Amino acid sequence: MSTTRTYDLLIKLLLIGDSGVGKSCLLLRFCDDQFTPSFITTIGIDFKIRTINLDDKRVKLQVWDTAGQERFKTITTAYYRGAMGILLVYDVCNEKSFENIRSWYSNVEQHASENVVLILVGNKSDMSEKRVISPEQGQALADELGIPFIEASAKTNDNVEDTFFSLARRVKQTMFSDNADANGATTGGSVNVGSANNSGTGGKCC
Amino acid sequence: MSSYSATAATRRGSVVPPLSGIESNGAQNPIPQKCDVLISGTGLVESILAAALAWQGSSVIHIDPNPYYGDSNSCFNIDQLLAWVDRVNRPPSSSELAAERIFSNARLYMPRPLDSKKFLVDLSPKIMFARSDLLSLLIKSRVFRYLEFKALGNFHTYENDTFDKVAGSKEDIFTDQSLSLVTKRNLMRFMKFVLEWEENTELWKPYQNESIEKFLTEKFKLEPQQITELVLSIGLCQSLEVATPVALSRIKRYLVSLDIYGNFPVLFSMYGGAGELAQGFCRSAAVAGATYKLGTAITSVDDKLVTLNDGSRIQVAEKIVLSPSSAVKKENTKNGILTRLVAFVAKDCKEWFAENEQAALVVFPPSTLSTNNKTSVQAIILGSGSGQCPEGVSVWYLSSTEQDPTKAQRDLEEAFTKLEASILRESTEDFEFENIDESDVSYRPDGMPVLSSVKLGQSMQNFVPREKLQYLLKLSFVEKVEYSAQPDAPILPEETPEASPATVLRAPYGLSEISYDGILTQVKNLYTKIVGSDDDFFDVDFEDEDEASAGANQTNSSAPNAIDASTVNQIDSRDDDIDEFGQDMEL
């Protein structure tokens, strides 16, 4: 193990869902407390970090965006690797994005690790005028997939904290139970090429 | 309002449509109608190029005719592999006659079905030297964050029916009891020289066009066995005939890579080699704004107006770049071949790995096999820690640069048999230690007895294994690679350094080289033809905004990110270090 660090756990989270459902907005709202109303395709966001307190642990959340590669369903398989929690996001005003959740779910099943923790998120819950998917429909789909469900609004910051916190809490419970070696489970024997010659322990990183 | 209902959900039940069922959001999100550069094929060369151009500010559309990333560098699960083998062996239809075919002669043996997801077959497994231009770029571009690397410390040389672990460091030479004092001294003198060989011209200039074998014999009085290990294992050259300067730079490459990250010279990426790196660069390109669409091919090019098979038309301002497999067959041009043999074997093969490692390299030098091989057979052995196979299984990647395909196949099969016999011997518990006494046994720090491998090999020549090795899968195929008049020589930048007048550029074939060396030169050649020079190749200040913003905006967090910032600084300073060296290595 390495020198002191400012967090107890590092959790990698992913956002998945159709273009335009507000994945980047949720990410920016949660990590930077910012909101950009205009439609922008995802350019320039790789991942962002926010450290939160969770049951007396400092948990560093690394939240990865799709980098726009969801537009033509060209998410790299590498994107899913090491992901501990995934937010499946649809837009409550866009029926297609809701229907496509099943396909994204199947993609996650195919590429993510078996014990990855999921949550279904209906974004833009503030837009009552344009809503086409009811909370009941969202809940029904979540029940069918066997995952929790939440509605949120990146614009009004409604439920955004709850969304990320509840997912992070479940990841912590599932993957970092007291008897599981969190670091060993994810990076056993890996070499951190970003910091050369730091360990002197035969290439084991921390 | 909504046609979606709970009934619909129930009706569809557990039938989950594949991802191809996802439709893009229609008019809101069409493929761009124009771009600076259109690239077809997502192999490693094209993907690094896409990222370099995107970060340089060009608008890039990157497509691939296949529904997956990686092109000829892909890493397949079993289902994908079966489809690929069918494709490779299918005779071309009349419309495909002109199309380039990179792979041929795929032969697959799979005695029973395997769990598709648990096995990955890499079409182009490669190792990465800890000091190399590509690793420097991975760090500088921060693409390394999308990847996971592991160590490979053990290089074995096959000779006289034994697999000796190569003494690659000064410490190894010092402690190697099979070496005489004179040999040790000569080796040490050479090790010192080779680290600064470029400056010591007076010593090697007379041998510039002579073989490394002659040079090492005459100038350093090295024994054949040491020469073999230095040139063919440490240098990973194809034969002892390699020109002196070429071999010297390759031996140095190994030595300067030791102790960068630990006591090993090379790394490998998990879940696949060049294909994983390609995906990483594609994501990087996407972050810089490149548009990605797979399963999409060019149907026609009219000057700079390109039509795709999805019906869209793209006006290209600068260049169209085609991967070899996206292009038409190259006529009247020489190419080389690389023959591969891949096997999943029901043995973990940990006997070959260094402690806590999951990989090893084995070299069969020329003339060591009964097929009288003219070139080396090189093998990368990966354990389950590679993410490519389940526990208790290993994957063997053998390759030969022999240009006669029949002979190459025979060399590979013979090397495979030797590996098989060796692992059966080494992993058999009830092996009887004939002719071995106490003096042949040494003890590891953990108290485990270890036999001197020379003696072990001798006594094992008569060994008949009681069990047979179980293959889960065996595959061989032939790949078209760049023709090389001088094997192992570094790829040199092309003569014409200015932008190319042609609109359509063809990316080069892959390289037979087992490491990633040479690939960046290929990329920069293309980059220069598009941009005019490679001065601004990845000349981007990758500010660590994520870490910075995390520190600045943590309104709800009690944890300051001081350590994160210092880690970043550490990365940056290492980066400079390695960069400097990377230039060195380009020669």
Side-chain angles (χ1 to χ4, degrees):
Chain A
M1 295 302 115
S2 82
T3 52
T4 50
R5 51 186 185 195
T6 55
Y7 57 92
D8 302 308
L9 302 174
L10 175 67
I11 290 179
K12 179 176 174 181
L13 303 179
L14 306 184
L15 291 148
I16 286 283
D18 279 8
S19 291
V21 299
K23 295 183 297 296
S24 305
C25 292
L26 284 167
L27 187 156
L28 287 169
R29 171 61 83 188
F30 179 69
C31 295
D32 291 358
D33 201 18
Q34 287 172 358
F35 182 76
T36 319
S38 60
F39 179 84
I40 43 149
T41 50
T42 305
I43 289 176
I45 302 181
D46 196 356
F47 63 81
K48 286 193 169 282
I49 281 167
R50 184 173 149 191
T51 308
I52 61 170
N53 284 330
L54 214 56
D55 313 325
D56 296 331
K57 293 269 191 216
R58 281 166 305 175
V59 178
K60 182 167 164 177
L61 299 180
Q62 203 181 53
V63 189
W64 290 66
D65 203 355
T66 50
Q69 288 185 314
E70 82 288 358
R71 282 173 75 192
F72 302 106
K73 51 216 184 207
T74 50
I75 304 270
T76 55
T77 50
Y79 179 61
Y80 292 100
R81 294 220 173 91
M84 302 170 193
I86 298 179
L87 298 95
L88 289 164
V89 188
Y90 68 92
D91 170 0
V92 299
C93 312
N94 182 327
E95 192 181 329
K96 194 87 219 167
S97 77
F98 181 65
E99 290 178 10
N100 280 340
I101 286 292
R102 291 158 182 284
S103 305
W104 288 117
Y105 178 82
S106 120
N107 203 232
V108 165
E109 290 243 284
Q110 218 178 334
H111 298 298
S113 77
E114 278 171 22
N115 52 354
V116 69
V117 179
L118 305 175
I119 188 168
L120 179 64
V121 184
N123 190 31
K124 308 191 187 176
S125 63
D126 60 291
M127 296 176 73
S128 46
E129 300 273 296
K130 293 182 175 173
R131 176 191 280 271
V132 292
I133 304 296
S134 69
E136 290 73 27
Q137 288 173 290
Q139 187 63 55
L141 178 59
D143 290 347
E144 186 198 321
L145 300 175
I147 62 176
F149 168 68
I150 195 165
E151 282 199 352
S153 166
K155 187 176 175 185
T156 61
N157 201 8
D158 192 34
N159 267 350
V160 175
E161 295 280 296
D162 281 357
T163 302
F164 283 90
F165 271 74
S166 76
L167 181 62
R169 183 166 284 116
R170 283 175 50 238
V171 169
K172 181 170 167 283
Q173 284 160 359
T174 325
M175 298 199 173
F176 298 92
S177 56
D178 290 339
N179 51 4
D181 178 0
N183 284 297
T186 51
T187 58
S190 293
V191 179
N192 181 5
V193 295
S195 55
N197 217 359
N198 58 347
S199 62
T201 57
K204 273 176 122 181
C205 91
C206 46
Chain B
M1 280 248 288
S2 164
S3 63
Y4 200 88
S5 65
T7 354
T10 325
R11 196 173 59 237
R12 293 183 193 191
S14 60
V15 181
V16 182
L19 190 58
S20 55
I22 293 180
E23 290 164 28
S24 61
N25 278 346
Q28 193 183 23
N29 223 351
I31 199 160
Q33 289 175 318
K34 54 183 184 177
C35 67
D36 294 329
V37 182
L38 174 76
I39 304 175
S40 175
T42 53
L44 182 53
V45 167
E46 299 84 43
S47 301
I48 300 174
L49 180 70
L53 290 167
W55 284 108
Q56 176 260 352
S58 297
S59 65
V60 175
I61 298 176
H62 198 175
I63 60 173
D64 196 307
N66 298 307
Y68 49 80
Y69 281 98
D71 202 318
S72 306
N73 301 134
S74 278
C75 196
F76 294 136
N77 63 29
I78 299 296
D79 292 341
Q80 291 174 314
L81 179 73
L82 295 176
W84 177 83
V85 168
D86 273 352
R87 256 192 338 270
V88 169
N89 293 335
R90 195 175 49 210
S93 68
S94 53
S95 63
E96 292 168 336
L97 281 174
E100 178 69 278
R101 294 197 143 204
I102 301 298
F103 298 103
S104 60
N105 214 6
R107 285 190 260 179
L108 177 70
Y109 168 74
M110 193 168 71
R112 55 195 167 83
L114 298 173
D115 186 345
S116 176
K117 259 182 90 172
K118 289 189 173 153
F119 296 84
L120 287 173
V121 177
D122 191 346
L123 293 183
S124 53
K126 282 190 185 288
I127 55 169
M128 169 117 41
F129 279 92
R131 263 198 182 163
S132 54
D133 54 0
L134 187 55
L135 187 51
S136 301
L137 179 63
L138 283 167
I139 294 168
K140 180 187 164 77
S141 64
R142 307 197 302 179
V143 171
F144 78 94
R145 298 191 304 197
Y146 312 143
L147 303 162
E148 200 170 336
F149 288 96
K150 291 197 169 174
L152 191 164
N154 276 7
F155 280 42
H156 301 270
T157 318
Y158 174 81
E159 245 185 326
N160 303 324
D161 229 10
T162 73
F163 291 86
D164 274 344
K165 187 184 163 300
V166 173
S169 66
K170 286 185 181 173
E171 293 75 25
D172 285 348
I173 294 168
F174 232 76
T175 52
D176 191 336
Q177 291 174 10
S178 67
L179 299 176
S180 73
L181 273 177
V182 179
T183 309
K184 280 188 186 180
R185 201 164 52 235
N186 289 340
L187 264 176
M188 288 297 196
R189 197 164 70 85
F190 172 71
M191 296 284 207
K192 190 160 174 267
F193 156 78
V194 78
L195 287 173
E196 292 167 344
W197 71 274
E198 293 97 331
E199 291 84 60
N200 287 316
T201 41
E202 71 284 359
L203 203 59
W204 61 267
K205 267 283 168 8
Y207 293 84
Q208 195 165 10
N209 300 314
E210 303 273 6
S211 78
I212 183 73
E213 187 176 24
K214 189 163 188 248
F215 174 72
L216 292 178
T217 312
E218 293 179 2
K219 284 288 165 190
F220 288 92
K221 308 275 180 281
L222 291 178
E223 307 286 327
Q225 193 194 337
Q226 277 71 55
I227 294 175
T228 297
E229 288 195 357
L230 280 172
V231 177
L232 302 171
S233 291
I234 288 176
L236 292 169
C237 293
Q238 287 299 331
S239 86
L240 298 174
E241 307 303 312
V242 170
T244 298
V246 172
L248 290 178
S249 76
R250 292 175 68 98
I251 295 168
K252 177 176 172 176
R253 168 180 77 172
Y254 175 106
L255 295 173
V256 296
S257 291
L258 279 171
D259 292 321
I260 301 285
Y261 298 105
N263 187 24
F264 52 85
V266 299
L267 302 138
F268 67 96
S269 55
M270 284 184 71
Y271 313 110
E276 281 294 296
L277 270 59
Q279 286 199 33
F281 280 104
C282 287
R283 179 171 165 94
S284 174
V287 170
T291 301
Y292 275 82
K293 196 161 184 225
L294 301 179
T296 304
I298 294 173
T299 49
S300 70
V301 179
D302 180 10
D303 191 22
K304 289 188 169 181
L305 183 66
V306 177
T307 309
L308 304 181
N309 63 355
D310 63 4
S312 53
R313 293 168 145 232
I314 299 166
Q315 188 68 47
V316 179
E318 299 293 334
K319 303 284 183 199
I320 300 155
V321 182
L322 305 177
S323 74
S325 71
S326 305
V328 292
K329 211 175 275 176
K330 218 172 171 181
E331 298 294 348
N332 307 322
T333 327
K334 269 185 169 176
N335 69 271
I337 60 161
L338 182 69
T339 309
R340 290 190 191 275
L341 178 63
V342 185
F344 286 95
V345 170
K347 280 263 178 227
D348 59 21
C349 294
K350 61 181 188 311
E351 290 82 0
W352 292 334
F353 305 153
E355 223 179 327
N356 296 323
E357 289 187 9
Q358 282 291 310
L361 206 128
V362 184
V363 172
F364 299 81
S367 307
T368 52
L369 296 167
S370 62
T371 50
N372 198 21
N373 54 317
K374 284 187 300 190
T375 58
S376 284
V377 171
Q378 298 172 335
I380 301 173
I381 314 290
L382 300 177
S384 60
S386 66
Q388 294 186 27
C389 56
E391 285 213 13
V393 177
S394 61
V395 54
W396 300 359
Y397 289 109
L398 286 74
S399 60
S400 165
T401 57
E402 166 64 52
Q403 293 302 299
D404 172 350
T406 316
K407 191 161 171 1
Q409 187 70 32
R410 277 207 299 269
D411 289 352
L412 290 173
E413 287 291 349
E414 177 65 12
F416 184 86
T417 310
K418 295 297 178 193
L419 284 173
E420 179 184 9
S422 164
I423 198 64
L424 285 176
R425 288 184 310 222
E426 292 185 37
S427 62
T428 298
E429 283 168 14
D430 54 357
F431 173 69
E432 284 170 32
F433 297 97
E434 3 160 2
N435 308 325
I436 289 184
D437 57 45
E438 195 90 338
S439 68
D440 295 315
V441 182
S442 59
Y443 291 88
R444 284 203 324 223
D446 60 4
M448 278 288 288
V450 183
L451 288 163
S452 139
S453 60
V454 175
K455 195 68 180 266
L456 190 62
Q458 285 163 0
S459 94
M460 281 174 167
Q461 281 171 18
N462 306 321
F463 171 81
V464 181
R466 282 165 213 186
E467 52 176 334
K468 278 198 77 176
L469 194 64
Q470 192 197 349
Y471 319 122
L472 306 178
L473 180 152
K474 205 167 160 185
L475 166 77
S476 64
F477 58 91
V478 179
E479 180 187 353
K480 272 187 195 174
V481 292
E482 283 291 282
Y483 173 75
S484 169
Q486 196 190 12
D488 304 319
I491 308 287
L492 296 172
E494 282 174 20
E495 295 280 312
T496 47
E498 66 276 357
S500 161
T503 303
V504 180
L505 300 177
R506 187 193 158 105
Y509 291 122
L511 301 168
S512 54
E513 165 70 23
I514 196 170
S515 78
Y516 289 99
D517 293 2
I519 286 174
L520 264 192
T521 311
Q522 290 185 322
V523 177
K524 286 182 180 176
N525 280 339
L526 285 168
Y527 186 89
T528 304
K529 285 180 188 168
I530 297 165
V531 178
S533 89
D534 64 6
D535 293 346
D536 59 353
F537 186 82
F538 270 103
D539 186 18
V540 186
D541 184 16
F542 289 92
E543 192 188 322
D544 218 320
E545 58 198 34
D546 324 289
E547 304 283 347
S549 72
N553 292 295
Q554 279 175 6
T555 45
N556 295 323
S557 160
S558 60
N561 267 27
I563 293 293
D564 289 333
S566 74
T567 317
V568 173
N569 290 338
Q570 194 185 347
I571 290 172
D572 288 344
S573 64
R574 280 307 317 173
D575 193 14
D576 294 340
D577 236 343
I578 295 176
D579 249 358
E580 229 168 72
F581 199 81
Q583 284 160 11
D584 246 2
M585 288 299 290
E586 275 164 40
L587 299 172

